[in-house]
Structure formats: structure tokens, C-alpha cells
């Protein structure tokens, strides 16, 4: 045993599991809409000696000595985030998207204040006020839903709900709403009822950065995001806000709800944001959205219904009830995983099964686009998905799709090109 043993010498069990996970990612299609492959440069930045450094505070105002280099790194991450999203102020310290939302709530709300947000089963997020989350425990939450027949948000009924409930904050943004979020309309409602507007762009950071999804910065007091999803900058969170809220937001993150920042992850964010500012990133995000559109069309061509009839974003939410009434989301998830296509079961509007079973699956394209795939490959993947959904218990079908998936993965490697 010595201090400088290699990873595999020091801990073969963990090292082997990490290698196996890397292999799993390389040899399957990661279609969980919130996942992506971070560029090697981001992984390299994250696995550094920055993990050793304490830097409570913010660049130029730390509680510890020796912060000159981490100050430079965090400032680069802040400046690039501001440029990427056109924001006045950025806080890049939240450890996750949930911590970013906590930071915003703590900045301007008191326990017991009222929040109006999209319900989890209609595409919202736990941190938007679910009873199992701190946000549901601390605040008085009411939720809006999508229309069961169209799958779209009805902004007029959202406005009526807001007038009646008189919330202190309205949260827009989602994890599983396949249509463009009309942040301008939510912003107008928030103005009318005198509420703060928090726009959570966790899933769509990359699409907002390149203008493929409307940018809420103009229409919201606060914008939060995760950095590991479409912007593929490594695991973490982000808060953007107007200059006026800078001190409140910064104080709510540290010391309000976190201790020392994860500077290795802040370095990952800095590197990822730099890459997202490059022209290639725009082309990448276009393939995400075009691929999801091609996937939706392929599926609906086989009668497999995308909720809302299609997608404006990076994933398709499939409602299996018409095409495959006996197949649950959980069963579809299992059969697809056997075939090397990793998706997640998801509730659908008007859901009749439990959240552990569900009648839908959510199928995302960001990781496939990172591998270089485009519309043609997503059409192929759509055909493979339909084959599995049509015969989830047929071993020969599943094996044959698994083979086709392996071939695709070899043709489009992630890290081992
Ligand atoms: C993923 C997600 C988050 C939370 O991100 P974590 O980093 O997992 O905490 C918050 N809001 C929405 C809408 C999300 O989709």
C-alpha cells in the first residue's frame, strides 16, 4: 500500500466497475433524455487536483488562502456562462440542478410562501415542489398540468390558476414536456400577479445556448440549469439572474445552502461552456433536435404515439396505450435495455398506471448526437425500438436488435475512436 498507487492497484473492485460502466456506455445507446457523454476535455478537467482545494466564497472574496488559480477558473466559468446565455450574473457553484433551485428559493422565498409549478407527473421535477422533496415541505405548492387530450400546456388556464392562487413564485421548465416552453407567457403571468418567475432549463441548457429553444433570460427573474445534460459540461448546476439579485443568489448558495464549491466540477463547467461557445456545438444541438424529430416521425409512422404528436426538443415522450395497450412503460424499459437501448419509463398525461409502472417511455437523443448520429441513424433506431415494442418477450427479436445496436455503437464510438 502506498500513497501513489494507481487507481487499479489501489482499488481493483472500483476500477473494474468504472471500466465496466464506461464499456456499458460505449456499447449501448444512452437514450435517457437527461444523460449525455461529456467531452474528454471536461472529464480531464474534473479528474484533477482541484478536488483538494477549499474555496468557500467567490472569486476575489474567499475565506481561504491560495485561491489565485481557482479564482481564475471559476471566473472563466462565470464569464462563459454569462456569454452563453446572455445573462447579467451567473453562479456556477450549485452542486446540481436541485441545489440551483434550492439556491433560488432560499434567495427570495420564506418557508410557507406559495409556489405554482408544473406537476411531476406532467413533466415537472421533484425540486419544483413535490411532497417527497424539501421544496414540497418548505413551501405551499399548487401545480398546473398539461391538457390530457393535446399534451400541451394551456397558458390561459395557468394564468387563471395564478390569479386565484396568488403565488410568490411561478416555476416554468420541465423534465418531460416535449414542446417548447413559452417562457414569455409565463413571465407575463408572473408580472401580472406579482410573482417571481423561475425558469428551470435543466434539460435544455444546450438548446437554449444555441437558440434552438427560446431563451428565458429576458422573461424570468431567475434561470436555473443542470450542466451535465444537453450542454454536456460535466455534472453540476448553474444559476443565472439579473444583476439586482446577485447578492441574494450568491449568499443563498454559499453560505446559505452549500459549503465549499466542487472546483473540479467548476473547471469541467468552464471547459464545457468554452466548447459550447464554439460553432461546432450549434451543429451538434441541431442534430439533437433533428434526430428527435426524425425519431418521433418514425415512431408515429408505426402507430406509436408521441405525446403532443411530436417534439420540439431533444426527446420523444411515447404513450403506449393506443399502440401497445398491454405493454407498460416499465416492461418496455426492460425489454429495450435487454436490446441495448437504454430509456426510462415515464408517466404520460392522463396516466392510469402507477409511477413505478407507467404507460410511457421517454426517449432522448443528446447522447446519440454526441456520438455523431443524425436523422438517418435516428430513423434506424426508431425502427429498432418498434421491433422491440412489438415483440418484447421474443428472445430472437431482442437478440437481433442487440446485434444491430452493437454495430451502430461500433460505427459511432464515443471515446474510443
Ligand atoms: C434534471 C433536472 C433537475 C435536477 O438536476 P439534478 O442535477 O439531478 O439535481 C432540475 N430540474 C429539472 C427540470 C430537471 O430536469
Amino acid at each position: 500500500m502506498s500513497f501513489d498507487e494507481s487507481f487499479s492497484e489501489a482499488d481493483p473492485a472500483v476500477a473494474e466497475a468504472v471500466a465496466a460502466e464506461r464499456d456499458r456506455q460505449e456499447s449501448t445507446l444512452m437514450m435517457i433524455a437527461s444523460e449525455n457523454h461529456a467531452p474528454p476535455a471536461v472529464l480531464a478537467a474534473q479528474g484533477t487536483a482541484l478536488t483538494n482545494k477549499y474555496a468557500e466564497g467567490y472569486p476575489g472574496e474567499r475565506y481561504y488562502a491560495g485561491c489565485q488559480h481557482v479564482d481564475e477558473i471559476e471566473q472563466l466559468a462565470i464569464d462563459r456562462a454569462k456569454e452563453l446565455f446572455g445573462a447579467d450574473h451567473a453562479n456556477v457553484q450549485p452542486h446540481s440542478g436541485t441545489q440551483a433551485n434550492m439556491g433560488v428559493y432560499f434567495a427570495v422565498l420564506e418557508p410557507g410562501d406559495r409556489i405554482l409549478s408544473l406537476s411531476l407527473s406532467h413533466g415537472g421535477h421533484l425540486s419544483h415542489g413535490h411532497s417527497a422533496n424539501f421544496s414540497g415541505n418548505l413551501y405551499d405548492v399548487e401545480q398546473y398540468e398539461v391538457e390530457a387530450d393535446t399534451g400541451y400546456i394551456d397558458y390561459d388556464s395557468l394564468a387563471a390558476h395564478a390569479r386565484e392562487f396568488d403565488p410568490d413564485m411561478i416555476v416554468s421548465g420541465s423534465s418531460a414536456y416535449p414542446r417548447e416552453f413559452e417562457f414569455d407567457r409565463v413571465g407575463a403571468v408572473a408580472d401580472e400577479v406579482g410573482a417571481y418567475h423561475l425558469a428551470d432549463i435543466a434539460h435544455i441548457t444546450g438548446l437554449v445556448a444555441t437558440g434552438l429553444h427560446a431563451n428565458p433570460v429576458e422573461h424570468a427573474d431567475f434561470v436555473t440549469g443542470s450542466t451535465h445534460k444537453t450542454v454536456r459540461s460535466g455534472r453540476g448546476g448553474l444559476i443565472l439572474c439579473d444583476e439586482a439579485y446577485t447578492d441574494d443568489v450568491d449568499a443563498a448558495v454559499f453560505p446559505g445552502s452549500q459549503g465549499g464549491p466542487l472546483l473540479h466540477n467548476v473547471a469541467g463547467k468552464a471547459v464545457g461552456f468554452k466548447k459550447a461557445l464554439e460553432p461546432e456545438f450549434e451543429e451538434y444541438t441541431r442534430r439533437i433536435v433533428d434526430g428527435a424529430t426524425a425519431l418521433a416521425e418514425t415512431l408515429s409512422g408505426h402507430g406509436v404515439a408521441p405525446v403532443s404528436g411530436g417534439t420540439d426538443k431533444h426527446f420523444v415522450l411515447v404513450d403506449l396505450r393506443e399502440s401497445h395497450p398491454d405493454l407498460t412503460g416499465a416492461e418496455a424499459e426492460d425489454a429495450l435495455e435487454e436490446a441495448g437501448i437504454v430509456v426510462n419509463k415515464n408517466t404520460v398525461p392522463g396516466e392510469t398506471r402507477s409511477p413505478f409502472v407507467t404507460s410511457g417511455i421517454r426517449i432522448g437523443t443528446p447522447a446519440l448526437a454526441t456520438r455523431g448520429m443524425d436523422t438517418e441513424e435516428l430513423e434506424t433506431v426508431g425502427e429498432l425500438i418498434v421491433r422491440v415494442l412489438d415483440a418484447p418477450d421474443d428472445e430472437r427479436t431482442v437478440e437481433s436488435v442487440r446485434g444491430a445496436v452493437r454495430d451502430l455503437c461500433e460505427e459511432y464510438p464515443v471515446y474510443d475512436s
Side-chain angles (χ1 to χ4, degrees), residues 71-389:
D71 274 6
E72 186 184 341
I73 292 163
E74 184 169 349
Q75 194 60 51
L76 282 168
I78 291 168
D79 292 344
R80 290 169 183 168
K82 285 162 64 175
E83 186 180 348
L84 204 50
F85 299 103
D88 284 353
H89 178 65
N91 186 309
V92 297
Q93 291 192 6
H95 301 331
S96 72
T98 298
Q99 293 295 114
N101 287 338
M102 180 183 265
V104 169
Y105 300 146
F106 283 12
V108 290
L109 298 182
E110 296 297 327
D113 278 357
R114 290 189 289 274
I115 293 177
L116 178 62
S117 60
L118 181 61
S119 112
L120 180 68
S121 61
H122 286 243
H125 190 262
L126 283 165
S127 63
H128 294 181
H130 191 274
S131 59
N133 184 264
F134 79 91
S135 54
N137 284 307
L138 281 185
Y139 306 107
D140 177 8
V141 181
E142 288 196 8
Q143 302 205 291
Y144 53 96
E145 300 190 335
V146 303
E147 291 183 304
D149 51 338
T150 64
Y152 277 79
I153 289 168
D154 176 352
Y155 293 92
D156 291 328
S157 71
L158 190 164
H161 193 165
R163 283 180 207 116
E164 192 186 306
F165 182 47
D166 191 22
D168 298 288
M169 178 176 284
I170 302 180
V171 182
S172 60
S174 73
S175 305
Y177 180 60
R179 292 305 182 174
E180 178 136 350
F181 224 104
E182 297 184 34
F183 295 122
D184 53 340
R185 295 190 67 181
V186 180
V189 174
D191 281 347
E192 183 194 324
V193 302
Y196 293 109
H197 177 200
L198 162 59
D200 180 346
I201 60 167
H203 262 258
I204 55 170
T205 41
L207 310 185
V208 169
T210 59
L212 290 186
H213 190 292
N215 186 336
V217 162
E218 293 292 307
H219 307 292
D221 302 287
F222 310 95
V223 176
T224 53
S226 301
T227 50
H228 44 279
K229 299 180 182 176
T230 45
V231 79
R232 57 179 192 193
S233 301
R235 197 154 287 275
L238 167 77
I239 303 174
L240 307 166
C241 65
D242 297 341
E243 199 67 56
Y245 301 119
T246 297
D247 292 347
D248 287 339
V249 161
D250 286 354
V253 173
F254 173 83
S257 57
Q258 293 189 168
L262 311 178
L263 289 159
H264 51 303
N265 280 14
V266 170
K269 293 172 196 181
V271 174
F273 295 161
K274 176 168 188 285
K275 294 187 75 62
L277 285 161
E278 291 167 1
E280 292 88 331
F281 190 77
E282 189 177 344
E283 188 268 332
Y284 161 63
T285 54
R286 193 162 295 283
R287 279 186 292 104
I288 296 179
V289 176
D290 289 350
T293 305
L295 177 64
E297 283 166 5
T298 305
L299 295 173
S300 57
H302 287 278
V304 178
V307 168
S308 80
T311 181
D312 299 327
K313 291 187 180 152
H314 57 294
F315 67 87
V316 182
L317 179 59
V318 164
D319 186 341
L320 294 165
R321 288 176 299 187
E322 287 258 317
S323 58
H324 299 83
D326 299 327
L327 184 65
T328 68
E331 289 162 347
E333 177 188 296
D334 285 347
L336 286 165
E337 186 175 6
E338 283 285 303
I341 302 173
V342 186
V343 305
N344 64 281
K345 63 178 183 285
N346 214 100
T347 51
V348 292
E351 182 60 74
T352 41
R353 294 184 172 110
S354 99
F356 299 103
V357 181
T358 81
S359 304
I361 48 174
R362 191 184 61 165
I363 318 172
T365 56
L368 270 53
T370 290
R371 301 183 86 121
M373 294 188 197
D374 206 334
T375 51
E376 199 182 313
E377 292 74 21
L378 266 300
E379 283 165 16
T380 304
V381 171
E383 299 287 345
L384 295 175
I385 290 171
V386 171
R387 280 176 61 194
V388 174
L389 296 179

